[in-house]
Amino acid sequence: MGKVVLVTGVARPLGARFAERIAERPDVDRVVGVDAAPPPTGLPPGVRYAQVDPRRPAIARVIAEHEVDTVVHLNVTALGHGGRAAVKESNVIGTMQLLGACQQAPGLGRLVVKSTTAVYGSAPRDPAVFGERMQPKALPPGGFARDAAEVEGYVRGFARRRPDVAVTVLRFANILGPDGDTPLAAYFRLPVLPTAFGHDPRLQFVHEDDALEALRLAALGAPTGTYNVAGDGVLLLSQCARRLGRPTVPLLRPALGLVAQLARQLAAPADRAFSQEQLQLLTHGRVVDTAQLRDRYGWAPRWTTPETFADFVAHSSPGPLPPERLTAVTDRLAGLLGNPHHPTDTQELRPR
């Protein structure tokens, strides 16, 4: 008998793609996809679907009925329907219900949880690079980052209660790709990018294909633990804007907050997650160390941060400004101003 894998969050693109990919494995006997609503495009024939509200204890029945031995929890997200309160309930209460069901499943052998590097926060006095053992200066005040921090706390408690279960937590940098539906992807699709005056934050990305591969390895037996997952290299926000061909509008922080509030009121539902934590990221940035991923996990993302962003740009609508011309003008101005530290798009910044 092969593995029986339960995947939460299959109504979203990442969850649906992961369920399809893991179902193709010869050592996986059955895949059960769980979510409160069915995927918009359906699931492949190899994946069974169970409609379960993550906030209800019915998930325990599904795990027992299908004799699940591996759970991949992807239903921790910044986006959702019903407002911020409903998203938090789905993230935190849903995880508590899932872990309670896992606690009662004697045949469970492995748990994989999708988390985020947002648990480190974004603050002016943060270290240049975050490692897995580092703690943020302060817990995230709210939003998705706070949800993820609470989820990780419950997962650590579960790991203590069930030492027989192999537990892996993957902290992903901002996931981008052709199907990206993250808050940062929505930000980059704006015709004009509001930025924090006087700040040019460093950003890291992970390609959605690499995110799927990291999850697949974790589900099939990679070393347990908590790992940062990000593509090599770093991009400044100004470099991202130039590669998109989108103009930026530097604003003082209070004005940036007002713009975010206006965007939440007027934009499409996927764009309403222009939250306080995203403002912090676009002001101070965040970079994580991935040495443990390479050395202990034994794997590294195939796409670098610049390559991931280039693929996102290739599948996005072009901005009003030609990227090549915008880059040339910016670099020439930097040269005239005598700024030898100004990064050009031919320079790839790497975390130190």
Side-chain angles (χ1 to χ4, degrees):
M1 292 290 292
K3 289 180 175 292
V4 179
V5 183
L6 182 138
V7 182
T8 69
V10 294
R12 297 180 177 85
L14 186 71
R17 285 190 62 192
F18 175 76
E20 180 179 8
R21 176 173 294 194
I22 201 73
E24 296 171 351
R25 294 285 304 181
D27 48 352
V28 173
D29 185 59
R30 185 163 64 253
V31 176
V32 182
V34 174
D35 213 315
T41 57
L43 289 171
V47 180
R48 303 185 185 184
Y49 170 69
Q51 184 167 343
V52 176
D53 187 332
R55 299 165 296 181
R56 302 289 182 262
I59 188 68
R61 174 182 52 80
V62 177
I63 292 176
E65 177 184 341
H66 293 277
E67 299 180 336
V68 171
D69 56 58
T70 302
V71 170
V72 181
H73 184 33
L74 306 183
N75 198 34
V76 182
T77 177
L79 301 177
H81 301 289
R84 171 63 200 148
V87 173
K88 181 177 180 62
E89 280 192 18
S90 178
N91 288 339
V92 179
I93 305 301
T95 297
M96 293 175 64
Q97 292 286 2
L98 176 65
L99 294 178
C102 291
Q103 178 76 26
Q104 303 170 20
L108 186 71
R110 183 167 292 271
L111 170 66
V112 180
V113 178
K114 168 185 168 286
S115 188
T116 170
T117 58
V119 296
Y120 298 116
S122 297
R125 295 186 179 180
D126 279 347
V129 180
F130 276 105
E132 286 87 349
R133 294 181 179 274
M134 293 183 179
Q135 297 296 322
K137 298 294 183 183
L139 283 175
F144 175 51
R146 184 59 177 260
D147 292 355
E150 292 185 26
V151 164
E152 287 197 13
Y154 292 127
V155 171
R156 287 191 293 271
F158 170 82
R160 289 191 294 269
R161 294 190 300 272
R162 287 290 304 269
D164 58 311
V165 177
V167 178
T168 300
V169 176
L170 299 176
R171 291 174 176 166
F172 290 101
N174 297 283
I175 299 175
L176 285 182
D179 299 324
D181 63 346
T182 62
L184 197 61
Y187 166 79
F188 283 130
R189 292 190 180 105
L190 295 174
V192 177
L193 303 182
T195 61
F197 182 80
H199 296 271
D200 197 5
R202 300 174 304 154
L203 303 175
Q204 280 179 314
F205 308 112
V206 58
H207 197 280
E208 58 189 25
D209 288 346
D210 283 329
L212 291 170
E213 181 63 11
L215 290 164
R216 184 190 70 83
L217 292 172
L220 297 180
T224 60
T226 299
Y227 300 94
N228 294 329
V229 184
D232 285 345
V234 174
L235 284 178
L236 298 178
L237 180 57
S238 60
Q239 291 178 297
C240 295
R242 291 199 297 273
R243 295 182 185 200
L244 282 165
R246 282 171 168 74
T248 59
V249 180
L251 301 171
L252 295 175
R253 183 57 188 271
L256 189 59
L258 291 175
V259 170
Q261 183 178 3
L262 182 63
R264 282 195 296 268
Q265 295 173 352
L266 301 180
D271 297 339
R272 286 203 292 264
F274 203 150
S275 61
Q276 182 67 26
E277 65 196 68
Q278 188 170 353
L279 293 179
Q280 289 289 106
L281 178 67
L282 295 176
T283 302
H284 306 294
R286 181 172 53 246
V287 177
V288 298
D289 179 30
T290 58
Q292 186 165 296
L293 184 73
R294 295 190 301 270
D295 299 339
R296 188 168 182 271
Y297 200 73
W299 174 82
R302 183 171 65 90
W303 298 73
T304 66
T305 283
E307 290 170 347
T308 298
F309 196 75
D311 190 51
F312 172 76
V313 172
H315 291 86
S316 301
S317 58
L321 305 175
E324 298 82 2
R325 184 175 179 183
L326 184 60
T327 298
V329 171
T330 305
D331 293 343
R332 185 177 179 186
L333 285 174
L336 292 174
L337 294 173
N339 184 1
H341 303 293
H342 173 78
T344 69
D345 280 352
T346 60
Q347 297 172 333
E348 180 177 327
L349 302 179
R350 296 186 178 275
R352 297 178 180 177

PDB file of all heavy atoms in Angstrom, residues 159-171:
ATOM      1  N   ALA A 159       3.643  18.688  17.924  1.00  0.00           N
ATOM      2  CA  ALA A 159       4.858  17.877  17.786  1.00  0.00           C
ATOM      3  C   ALA A 159       5.320  17.334  19.143  1.00  0.00           C
ATOM      4  O   ALA A 159       5.836  16.216  19.226  1.00  0.00           O
ATOM      5  CB  ALA A 159       5.967  18.699  17.136  1.00  0.00           C
ATOM      6  N   ARG A 160       5.120  18.108  20.210  1.00  0.00           N
ATOM      7  CA  ARG A 160       5.483  17.617  21.551  1.00  0.00           C
ATOM      8  C   ARG A 160       4.543  16.511  22.011  1.00  0.00           C
ATOM      9  O   ARG A 160       4.971  15.557  22.668  1.00  0.00           O
ATOM     10  CB  ARG A 160       5.483  18.779  22.553  1.00  0.00           C
ATOM     11  CG  ARG A 160       6.629  19.763  22.359  1.00  0.00           C
ATOM     12  CD  ARG A 160       6.715  20.717  23.540  1.00  0.00           C
ATOM     13  NE  ARG A 160       5.540  21.593  23.637  1.00  0.00           N
ATOM     14  CZ  ARG A 160       5.440  22.782  23.078  1.00  0.00           C
ATOM     15  NH1 ARG A 160       6.457  23.255  22.359  1.00  0.00           N
ATOM     16  NH2 ARG A 160       4.350  23.520  23.237  1.00  0.00           N
ATOM     17  N   ARG A 161       3.274  16.639  21.674  1.00  0.00           N
ATOM     18  CA  ARG A 161       2.300  15.631  22.101  1.00  0.00           C
ATOM     19  C   ARG A 161       2.380  14.351  21.285  1.00  0.00           C
ATOM     20  O   ARG A 161       2.045  13.272  21.774  1.00  0.00           O
ATOM     21  CB  ARG A 161       0.879  16.214  22.022  1.00  0.00           C
ATOM     22  CG  ARG A 161       0.606  17.345  22.991  1.00  0.00           C
ATOM     23  CD  ARG A 161      -0.873  17.693  23.008  1.00  0.00           C
ATOM     24  NE  ARG A 161      -1.354  18.106  21.691  1.00  0.00           N
ATOM     25  CZ  ARG A 161      -1.331  19.348  21.234  1.00  0.00           C
ATOM     26  NH1 ARG A 161      -0.815  20.314  21.991  1.00  0.00           N
ATOM     27  NH2 ARG A 161      -1.807  19.647  20.045  1.00  0.00           N
ATOM     28  N   ARG A 162       2.776  14.498  20.011  1.00  0.00           N
ATOM     29  CA  ARG A 162       2.868  13.333  19.133  1.00  0.00           C
ATOM     30  C   ARG A 162       4.286  13.215  18.564  1.00  0.00           C
ATOM     31  O   ARG A 162       4.530  13.477  17.385  1.00  0.00           O
ATOM     32  CB  ARG A 162       1.855  13.446  17.985  1.00  0.00           C
ATOM     33  CG  ARG A 162       0.406  13.225  18.354  1.00  0.00           C
ATOM     34  CD  ARG A 162       0.114  11.761  18.704  1.00  0.00           C
ATOM     35  NE  ARG A 162       0.490  10.840  17.643  1.00  0.00           N
ATOM     36  CZ  ARG A 162      -0.335  10.440  16.663  1.00  0.00           C
ATOM     37  NH1 ARG A 162      -1.584  10.887  16.623  1.00  0.00           N
ATOM     38  NH2 ARG A 162       0.071   9.585  15.749  1.00  0.00           N
ATOM     39  N   PRO A 163       5.259  12.833  19.392  1.00  0.00           N
ATOM     40  CA  PRO A 163       6.637  12.722  18.897  1.00  0.00           C
ATOM     41  C   PRO A 163       6.809  11.633  17.843  1.00  0.00           C
ATOM     42  O   PRO A 163       7.845  11.593  17.161  1.00  0.00           O
ATOM     43  CB  PRO A 163       7.442  12.403  20.160  1.00  0.00           C
ATOM     44  CG  PRO A 163       6.452  11.796  21.104  1.00  0.00           C
ATOM     45  CD  PRO A 163       5.153  12.475  20.821  1.00  0.00           C
ATOM     46  N   ASP A 164       5.809  10.756  17.699  1.00  0.00           N
ATOM     47  CA  ASP A 164       5.881   9.707  16.681  1.00  0.00           C
ATOM     48  C   ASP A 164       5.557  10.220  15.287  1.00  0.00           C
ATOM     49  O   ASP A 164       5.758   9.504  14.296  1.00  0.00           O
ATOM     50  CB  ASP A 164       4.910   8.578  17.034  1.00  0.00           C
ATOM     51  CG  ASP A 164       3.464   9.068  17.153  1.00  0.00           C
ATOM     52  OD1 ASP A 164       3.242  10.081  17.857  1.00  0.00           O
ATOM     53  OD2 ASP A 164       2.569   8.453  16.553  1.00  0.00           O
ATOM     54  N   VAL A 165       5.054  11.451  15.174  1.00  0.00           N
ATOM     55  CA  VAL A 165       4.707  12.039  13.872  1.00  0.00           C
ATOM     56  C   VAL A 165       5.844  12.941  13.410  1.00  0.00           C
ATOM     57  O   VAL A 165       6.323  13.800  14.156  1.00  0.00           O
ATOM     58  CB  VAL A 165       3.391  12.847  13.969  1.00  0.00           C
ATOM     59  CG1 VAL A 165       3.078  13.523  12.631  1.00  0.00           C
ATOM     60  CG2 VAL A 165       2.240  11.941  14.385  1.00  0.00           C
ATOM     61  N   ALA A 166       6.296  12.749  12.169  1.00  0.00           N
ATOM     62  CA  ALA A 166       7.325  13.597  11.564  1.00  0.00           C
ATOM     63  C   ALA A 166       6.686  14.910  11.132  1.00  0.00           C
ATOM     64  O   ALA A 166       5.776  14.914  10.299  1.00  0.00           O
ATOM     65  CB  ALA A 166       7.964  12.889  10.373  1.00  0.00           C
ATOM     66  N   VAL A 167       7.153  16.018  11.695  1.00  0.00           N
ATOM     67  CA  VAL A 167       6.539  17.331  11.456  1.00  0.00           C
ATOM     68  C   VAL A 167       7.529  18.239  10.728  1.00  0.00           C
ATOM     69  O   VAL A 167       8.671  18.399  11.173  1.00  0.00           O
ATOM     70  CB  VAL A 167       6.094  17.994  12.772  1.00  0.00           C
ATOM     71  CG1 VAL A 167       5.509  19.380  12.504  1.00  0.00           C
ATOM     72  CG2 VAL A 167       5.074  17.118  13.495  1.00  0.00           C
ATOM     73  N   THR A 168       7.082  18.824   9.622  1.00  0.00           N
ATOM     74  CA  THR A 168       7.903  19.759   8.845  1.00  0.00           C
ATOM     75  C   THR A 168       7.128  21.045   8.623  1.00  0.00           C
ATOM     76  O   THR A 168       5.967  21.017   8.196  1.00  0.00           O
ATOM     77  CB  THR A 168       8.289  19.156   7.479  1.00  0.00           C
ATOM     78  OG1 THR A 168       9.026  17.956   7.682  1.00  0.00           O
ATOM     79  CG2 THR A 168       9.148  20.135   6.688  1.00  0.00           C
ATOM     80  N   VAL A 169       7.767  22.175   8.913  1.00  0.00           N
ATOM     81  CA  VAL A 169       7.185  23.499   8.673  1.00  0.00           C
ATOM     82  C   VAL A 169       8.056  24.208   7.643  1.00  0.00           C
ATOM     83  O   VAL A 169       9.269  24.348   7.837  1.00  0.00           O
ATOM     84  CB  VAL A 169       7.108  24.326   9.966  1.00  0.00           C
ATOM     85  CG1 VAL A 169       6.596  25.734   9.676  1.00  0.00           C
ATOM     86  CG2 VAL A 169       6.210  23.636  10.991  1.00  0.00           C
ATOM     87  N   LEU A 170       7.447  24.637   6.555  1.00  0.00           N
ATOM     88  CA  LEU A 170       8.164  25.338   5.492  1.00  0.00           C
ATOM     89  C   LEU A 170       7.743  26.799   5.489  1.00  0.00           C
ATOM     90  O   LEU A 170       6.577  27.119   5.237  1.00  0.00           O
ATOM     91  CB  LEU A 170       7.867  24.693   4.133  1.00  0.00           C
ATOM     92  CG  LEU A 170       8.283  23.226   3.984  1.00  0.00           C
ATOM     93  CD1 LEU A 170       7.852  22.683   2.621  1.00  0.00           C
ATOM     94  CD2 LEU A 170       9.784  23.059   4.162  1.00  0.00           C
ATOM     95  N   ARG A 171       8.711  27.684   5.791  1.00  0.00           N
ATOM     96  CA  ARG A 171       8.453  29.121   5.781  1.00  0.00           C
ATOM     97  C   ARG A 171       8.826  29.671   4.408  1.00  0.00           C
ATOM     98  O   ARG A 171      10.000  29.878   4.100  1.00  0.00           O
ATOM     99  CB  ARG A 171       9.281  29.812   6.870  1.00  0.00           C
ATOM    100  CG  ARG A 171       8.842  29.476   8.278  1.00  0.00           C
ATOM    101  CD  ARG A 171       9.786  30.066   9.308  1.00  0.00           C
ATOM    102  NE  ARG A 171       9.318  29.818  10.670  1.00  0.00           N
ATOM    103  CZ  ARG A 171      10.066  29.977  11.760  1.00  0.00           C
ATOM    104  NH1 ARG A 171      11.333  30.392  11.637  1.00  0.00           N
ATOM    105  NH2 ARG A 171       9.578  29.726  12.958  1.00  0.00           N
TER     106      ARG A 171
END
